[in-house]
Amino acid sequence: DAGVIQSPRHEVTEMGQEVTLRCKPISGHNSLFWYRQTMMRGLELLIYFNNNVPIDDSGMPEDRFSAKMPNASFSTLKIQPSEPRDSAVYFCASRRLAGPYNEQFFGPGTRLTVL
Amino acid sequence: QQQVKQSPQSLIVQKGGISIINCAYENTAFDYFPWYQQFPGKGPALLIAIRPDVSEKKEGRFTISFNKSAKQFSLHIMDSQPGDSATYFCAARPDSGYALNFGKGTSLLVTP
């Protein structure tokens, strides 16, 4: 199994530009999470999808952030317009609801730098 | 508001020593307590997890100790090795929930 796949791995952009981060969850997993990691705030949950439906987006910082999951094998996180304070590592994670621990498997992350 | 408090922020241990990382929580609805290990440039990976019906769980050199009355849990790494150098995160969530509440992480360095 290839694990959770994220692209790009690194993104450098200028303030005001649109940024799109992509995630392919593990096949067969029906839950997907987007996290943001910074030194100051640690790992924060941005949004949670279950069966492609957004269940909890209370962690999305503001309207500049949006996420979609058009099908079970693909999700995007978009920032428009981007700002320097959005610089962080963004992780996607997936899990299968069945099982005793419902373990979340994280992707390698996308390091975003907004200049 | 940080629901899981983790300490220390950083830790240096000599090879062969014991590394101890502590976490505390307030929400009594939390029923699942995993520890994640993260290497530079990688995503966090589940290391070991415990439910509060047991006070200790051991997997190889890694042990979780759980104190339900004190609402604290800790990770012990026995015979620490340089390859254990990583950032460790504790987390907690209700058993039926989905949102993991992460501690802020502990950067562990094991010196040769």
Side-chain angles (χ1 to χ4, degrees), chain B:
Chain B
Q1 183 182 354
Q2 199 77 21
Q3 296 208 46
V4 179
K5 296 189 174 153
Q6 183 172 349
S7 62
Q9 189 173 354
S10 63
L11 183 61
I12 300 175
V13 174
Q14 282 195 328
K15 179 181 174 181
I18 303 173
S19 304
I20 302 174
I21 304 170
N22 301 299
C23 285
Y25 65 97
E26 287 298 325
N27 189 341
T28 54
F30 288 157
D31 207 25
Y32 169 62
F33 304 88
W35 284 88
Y36 281 78
Q37 179 188 54
Q38 185 180 25
F39 292 105
K42 306 289 186 183
L46 180 66
L47 183 64
I48 186 173
I50 197 169
R51 294 191 187 284
D53 52 347
V54 296
S55 60
E56 186 175 283
K57 182 172 181 180
K58 185 175 181 179
E59 290 184 2
R61 296 184 294 108
F62 300 90
T63 300
I64 300 179
S65 297
F66 185 83
N67 186 330
K68 188 173 182 177
S69 61
K71 291 184 283 191
Q72 295 175 347
F73 57 111
S74 60
L75 176 69
H76 292 61
I77 306 174
M78 311 300 288
D79 187 25
S80 299
Q81 299 296 312
D84 297 330
S85 298
T87 301
Y88 293 81
F89 294 91
C90 62
R93 68 162 165 78
D95 189 33
S96 59
Y98 55 84
L100 280 171
N101 297 273
F102 284 92
K104 284 206 165 183
T106 296
S107 178
L108 171 65
L109 175 64
V110 181
T111 59

